[in-house]
Every structure is written in C-alpha cells, then in structure tokens.
Amino acid sequence: MAEKPKAKDGTLRALVREVLAMAPGYGLTDEMLCRAVRELLPVNSADDSAILTAAEWNLGKDFVSTAENEDTDEREWRITHHGLAKQSLK
Amino acid sequence: MAKRKKAKPDWDAAPRKTHANAKVKNLPEADQETLWLLLHPTDKETPPCTLEAAMVHLQEEFGVECALSTFSEWHSWYSLKKRMEKAASRAQQATLEFAQDHPDATPDDLEKYGQMIFTAESIEHGDAKTFTALVRERSRRMALELDRRKLVLLEAAAAEAKAKLAAITQKAKSKGGLTAETLAEIEEAAGLL
C-alpha cells in the first residue's frame, strides 16, 4: 500500500500560525496545538513531533511565543503581533 | 560561479490564481456563516445539508467553484475557528465577571483566570468532566487567595490604627485631657479602619 504523503514543513508552519491566530492572546498547550493542526490536515499526514518542529521554527522567527503555565507546568503557545502581521499578509 | 539573481516579477503578467481553499475562506464572514448554518442548522427540525448540496449553494449564490476536498477542508477549518472563537469569547466574559466579583485581582490574576477558562472551553475530546472540576477548584483557590490578600491588608491597616490610637491616648493622658487637636488625630486614626 502506498504511503500517505506527509504534510510539507511550510504547510505545517503556516497551519501553526493559523491555529494560534484564531484566538490571539490565549495560549495552546503542545497537545492542544497538535490536535488543532491535525484537524486541518488529511489523516496521518503529520505527527506531533513534525508539528512541534514547525512551531519551534515559528518561535525562532518571533511569529509565536511560549510561556510556562505556573498552574499546569505546561508550555503554552501564543501568536505574537509579528505572527498576526504575517497572517494578515496572506 | 556567480549566483544568478532572481528575475524581477513581470507586473504585467497574468495575475496569480487564488488558491481554491482561499476562495471560500476569503468569502465575507456572513456568507461563510450561511454555508455553516446550511450544514449545521440551529433549528432542530431543519435537516442539515450534505457537503455536496452546500457546494451547489456556494456556486449558485456566491459564484465560487471548488473541489469537494477543498470544501471539506474549509469545513474543518471553519469548525475549528468557531470553536476557538467561542472559547475565547467565553473566557473573556468569565474574566469580566471575575474582575467584577474580585476588584482586587491584578492583571496577572485576570490573565491566568482567562487562560484557565479558555483551556477548559477548548476541550472537545478527553476527560472534560475532570478538567471542569479542576477549573472549578482552581477558581475557588484563586478567589480564596484574593480574599486572603484583602485580609492581610485589612489587618495591617487595623494594626496601624491601633498603634496610632494608643499613642494619641498616651499623649491625651499626659496633657490632662482631650484637646481639639487630639480629637482630630483620633478621627484620622479611625479613618484607617
């Protein structure tokens, strides 16, 4: 059986921004972010590590930011102003 | 070998085709909402449209043609967008109510509370019941912490007032009674309470 095509890095990077831009000001944990991005992709076309790698790339470009939630000890991802501006250029 | 520079775009060339997915996403919000309601009617007696039927409406009413897979992608995207926006709206509302009930809450407290509500509202799958109980417990603890801070401030104010009144009483005794000046000092100390 032919392997399903994997989502491209560029696609994942854009989807990470798109998901976070849906609720600016609020953070998504790793699990929430990965689950949301997978909803926008064909089934089994990306695993969590690929999605988080895309998120890390966006972090390096200052399109997204992270912060640790003191109550849950979980990392939360948020879109930055730079990331919102990037989305508005589409 | 020298790197060849990329040719500058020919602005007179044919415009780039809009991505099929973007055609539906870029429809006015009201039109996208119309499509959504066709697929998910709020009226229980109205049966939901199939994706194929909604696509016919998309073409006839909005003049947009796309493949079924593209429309299905839009449907997934819009569904997620609605859930996220609803969660953000609920979190904002809950934060406003919390701020009204707890005027001593700092901006940091309100941000944490809003995030907690947003996370809870965003959960669609998994153990939502347990998480809701956890949110309630954290909310109760936050309210208790704010009350505790208020109590500490009140206790400090009471201690300061008590010390002032004790000093005033001592002064009044040594001077042989209450003067107008001493009365004014007592009023000031009482105002701390």
Side-chain angles (χ1 to χ4, degrees):
Chain A
M1 188 185 273
E3 208 179 275
K4 278 198 174 171
K6 295 292 179 190
K8 291 179 182 174
D9 289 346
T11 303
L12 293 177
R13 291 167 189 170
L15 285 178
V16 163
R17 290 195 303 275
E18 193 153 4
V19 162
L20 294 176
M22 288 178 181
Y26 292 101
L28 270 66
T29 60
D30 285 7
E31 192 197 334
M32 286 163 71
L33 177 63
C34 292
R35 187 162 15 101
V37 169
R38 279 201 303 273
E39 276 190 48
L40 304 181
L41 290 166
V43 174
N44 292 334
S45 60
D47 56 24
D48 287 3
S49 68
I51 294 168
L52 290 174
T53 299
E56 296 279 353
W57 180 90
N58 277 289
L59 183 67
K61 297 285 183 184
D62 193 33
F63 292 142
V64 305
S65 65
T66 59
E68 187 164 300
N69 186 312
E70 289 166 10
D71 292 330
T72 60
D73 292 332
E74 286 200 73
R75 175 172 61 175
E76 288 173 350
W77 299 85
R78 284 173 177 78
I79 193 90
T80 60
H81 291 299
H82 194 194
L84 281 172
K86 172 82 175 164
Q87 287 304 100
S88 70
L89 286 172
K90 278 174 47 180
Chain B
M1 189 188 258
K3 209 173 173 181
R4 284 181 66 186
K5 280 187 179 176
K6 249 187 186 176
K8 285 188 180 172
D10 181 359
W11 300 111
D12 294 328
R16 286 173 66 183
K17 279 174 70 176
T18 310
H19 193 280
N21 204 357
K23 281 185 203 172
V24 191
K25 279 186 187 176
N26 289 339
L27 279 173
E29 179 62 32
D31 294 347
Q32 291 190 59
E33 186 63 19
T34 300
L35 289 169
W36 175 260
L37 288 172
L38 281 173
L39 295 160
H40 304 273
T42 50
D43 174 15
K44 285 179 186 174
E45 288 173 17
T46 307
C49 266
T50 59
L51 282 176
E52 289 84 355
M55 275 176 64
V56 169
H57 187 89
L58 175 69
Q59 189 178 344
E60 288 178 356
E61 293 297 320
F62 308 126
V64 173
E65 282 186 51
C66 66
L68 179 61
S69 59
T70 304
F71 191 64
S72 176
E73 280 173 22
W74 168 83
H75 181 245
S76 299
W77 173 82
Y78 200 73
S79 170
L80 179 64
K81 181 170 168 283
K82 278 186 84 70
R83 283 206 322 272
M84 296 275 272
E85 286 174 354
K86 187 181 167 190
S89 174
R90 293 284 295 269
Q92 196 176 30
Q93 186 59 39
T95 304
L96 283 170
E97 288 167 10
F98 187 82
Q100 279 167 7
D101 292 340
H102 302 91
D104 295 338
T106 64
D108 195 43
D109 292 331
L110 296 177
E111 192 185 322
K112 279 184 188 174
Y113 186 78
Q115 178 61 53
M116 187 173 64
I117 299 298
F118 174 80
T119 305
E121 291 286 338
S122 297
I123 285 181
E124 199 188 13
H125 309 287
D127 196 356
K129 215 173 174 181
T130 303
F131 198 91
T132 307
L134 190 65
V135 164
R136 267 199 220 112
E137 173 58 24
R138 285 206 186 120
S139 178
R140 189 187 68 85
R141 273 196 269 134
M142 277 187 84
L144 276 173
E145 172 60 21
L146 287 168
D147 286 342
R148 188 195 66 79
R149 275 192 233 161
K150 211 188 280 183
L151 189 62
V152 164
L153 288 169
L154 283 171
E155 281 175 349
E160 191 185 341
K162 193 178 173 184
K164 272 200 170 177
L165 283 169
I168 291 163
T169 309
Q170 194 58 39
K171 189 176 158 187
K173 276 181 187 171
S174 63
K175 280 191 176 175
L178 276 177
T179 61
E181 188 196 332
T182 309
L183 265 172
E185 285 176 3
I186 290 170
E187 277 169 10
E188 192 197 325
L192 286 169
L193 292 166

